Amino acid sequence: MTEPDAQTESVSSDDVPWRLQIAVYGIGMFSTSMFYMSAIVVGFWVESIETSAALIGLVLGARHFLPLFLSIHGGALMDRLGGRRVMVCFAIVGIVTPLLFPVMPWIWAALVLQMIAGLVDAMGWLGAQVLIGQHMRGGTLYTGRLSYTCRFGHLFAPPLIGWVWDIGGPYWAFFGLCVWGVGVLGCALMLPPKHQEPAETGEPAATGRPGLAIRDLLPRPSDYIESFRMLAVPAIALVVMASMLSHVGASVHSSFYVVYLKQTGVSAEQIGWLLSASSFAAIFGALAANWASQRIRPYWLMMGAILASVLAVAVTPWLGFLALLFVASALRGASNGITQPMVISTVLRAVGTEMRGKAAGLRGTANRIASIVSPIVMGAIAQFAGIVNSFYIVGAIATVLMGALALHVLRSPVLRASNVISDKSDRR
């Protein structure tokens, strides 16, 4: 395995049919916006049936439990069986799961359903990344388009589902999540039945087997070993660790951020618009990523933007006006929009086509660790120190950890050598 090369795998838009691109971007948009919609619906639902901050944090964090253990396995399944089969299967599960929340109004049921729903969302987002790696060779042109397109779902879906909750209550809101899942299924059915690389790459196509054995569906220790070996590449290890910190802010933004704002009197629809402001700003962040990467060293750009996104959430209790909350949410989104395409492309282009599912799964696993730990730790802190102080403490911890990463870059000859601004001609 070699270091990622900024000049590796250039591909033009003519190589990939637009039908395929639309299907992949649609899967990413519906899956990731489902996460933000569920942050409102499930957050409100759990808050209405449970009063313990620790248990609320446990349920909200449970959305990341199964992806923690099965992201690598899911990526390996896509490598072996093809993305279409896996996407269709998880899309069907995603349609059914939201309907079960209101018929089982118990905290333990919410915990289990939250885990299942989280796995569905994670596999959809993972699948969109893997499909870009398999069909589009992980080109930044396509990861940028994926990041850009996803933001439109984030922009409209949260306020829409917040409005549905305010008008129709939880039953209609959960039905809305079910309808949104139909969008994932429709896009998955648009995918080609087999994965076919453009002929000029010279890489073997991962076509998937015509037959399906039970052993194909079971996790393999070798898949996990191969995935974790990728951490031996210094740049991959750095990107994975930095990506984990970015998910600290994202996790808080989708859990206790919602709970805190509701406690201070902000309506569900207003919270939805706050989440949309983040997504709207992320559109411009994604568009500015190429410009910024031509002027700022990549690791400093990535780490600075990630830290800004975390701190924009951590200062929430200081912001007493709705207008300031919108500014902070927009800052978080713009910062995330800058880093996401860089992180995805770096991971996908560091490995061959047959390993891209595992590579995306490795990053997903690391992100889930952060996403699980953050709300649980924050819930425990809130239980003893209060919810307001929990925001400040999480922000302080993230700052210290990002400082440690920056110091590691400065002390590592390999990372210092690769932390250079590439030629503008190398970027698309």
Side-chain angles (χ1 to χ4, degrees):
M1 189 177 301
T2 60
E3 289 283 349
D5 185 348
Q7 302 184 38
T8 303
E9 299 182 7
S10 174
V11 61
S12 71
S13 59
D14 294 335
D15 291 328
V16 183
W18 273 105
R19 176 185 172 89
L20 173 58
Q21 290 191 54
I22 291 171
V24 173
Y25 304 152
I27 289 173
M29 184 193 71
F30 283 114
S31 297
T32 56
S33 57
M34 181 75 78
F35 173 83
Y36 291 102
M37 295 166 72
S38 297
I40 296 175
V41 177
V42 178
F44 279 24
W45 174 254
V46 174
E47 196 268 343
S48 70
I49 64 176
E50 180 57 51
T51 59
S52 167
L55 281 178
I56 291 174
L58 179 63
V59 172
L60 296 178
R63 198 170 189 88
H64 309 286
F65 285 172
L66 292 181
L68 170 64
F69 299 103
L70 297 177
S71 288
I72 290 175
H73 175 55
L77 282 179
M78 295 176 203
D79 286 337
R80 290 198 297 270
L81 307 177
R84 188 178 189 273
R85 287 183 178 181
V86 179
M87 289 296 94
V88 168
C89 177
F90 278 104
I92 294 172
V93 176
I95 293 171
V96 175
T97 301
L99 300 178
L100 301 179
F101 275 89
V103 300
M104 294 189 291
W106 311 296
I107 192 67
W108 65 264
L111 180 68
V112 173
L113 293 173
Q114 180 79 328
M115 288 192 291
I116 296 173
L119 181 61
V120 171
D121 294 350
M123 288 300 108
W125 175 232
L126 178 67
Q129 298 173 66
V130 173
L131 288 163
I132 286 182
Q134 291 179 339
H135 294 273
M136 310 171 198
R137 303 190 291 281
T140 53
L141 175 68
Y142 302 110
T143 57
R145 284 179 180 173
L146 174 64
S147 181
Y148 178 85
T149 305
C150 285
R151 307 305 173 178
F152 286 99
H154 305 174
L155 182 62
F156 297 108
L160 175 62
I161 203 66
W163 176 79
V164 170
W165 178 285
D166 287 340
I167 299 300
Y171 295 98
W172 281 105
F174 280 114
F175 180 74
L177 297 182
C178 170
V179 172
W180 208 251
V182 174
V184 180
L185 179 61
C187 292
L189 292 174
M190 290 174 60
L191 295 171
K194 294 183 179 181
H195 156 221
Q196 295 177 341
E197 278 279 345
E200 65 270 18
T201 66
E203 295 182 355
T207 59
R209 299 175 186 172
L212 186 63
I214 295 297
R215 66 177 179 273
D216 291 325
L217 304 178
L218 300 177
R220 298 179 182 179
S222 59
D223 292 333
Y224 288 80
I225 293 172
E226 290 177 358
S227 296
F228 284 110
R229 280 178 178 169
M230 298 177 192
L231 293 174
V233 179
I236 295 297
L238 175 69
V239 169
V240 166
M241 289 185 286
S243 182
M244 289 178 69
L245 285 178
S246 74
H247 274 67
V248 171
S251 182
V252 173
H253 197 242
S254 62
S255 57
F256 276 95
Y257 178 82
V258 174
V259 174
Y260 171 77
L261 291 180
K262 183 175 185 294
Q263 291 178 354
T264 58
V266 181
S267 72
E269 185 174 357
Q270 288 172 327
I271 293 173
W273 282 113
L274 283 170
L275 298 181
S276 291
S278 176
S279 300
F280 183 71
I283 294 174
F284 297 96
L287 292 175
N290 184 57
W291 178 89
S293 65
Q294 294 174 0
R295 290 159 177 81
I296 304 174
R297 294 181 185 272
Y299 299 152
W300 304 142
L301 174 62
M302 177 181 64
M303 290 190 287
I306 289 173
L307 182 59
S309 71
V310 176
L311 295 182
V313 179
V315 300
T316 295
W318 284 346
L319 310 175
F321 300 97
L322 192 62
L324 293 179
L325 289 171
F326 270 103
V327 171
S329 187
L331 174 60
R332 195 202 83 81
S335 301
N336 188 52
I338 289 173
T339 58
Q340 191 177 66
M342 298 172 58
V343 170
I344 295 174
S345 288
T346 298
V347 172
L348 290 177
R349 294 166 67 173
V351 296
T353 304
E354 74 286 352
M355 294 288 289
R356 282 171 176 158
K358 299 184 187 71
L362 173 65
R363 192 178 78 89
T365 298
N367 290 344
R368 298 304 164 180
I369 293 174
S371 297
I372 290 171
V373 171
S374 297
I376 294 176
V377 170
M378 191 169 179
I381 295 172
Q383 190 77 20
F384 295 101
I387 192 170
V388 170
N389 289 329
S390 67
F391 279 89
Y392 304 147
I393 293 172
V394 168
I397 292 173
T399 301
V400 171
L401 293 177
M402 187 60 77
L405 279 183
L407 185 61
H408 174 61
V409 173
L410 291 173
R411 291 181 173 180
S412 170
V414 174
L415 291 175
R416 285 203 312 271
S418 59
N419 190 26
V420 296
I421 300 175
S422 302
D423 257 352
K424 295 182 181 180
S425 60
D426 292 336
R427 290 186 169 82
R428 303 186 69 83

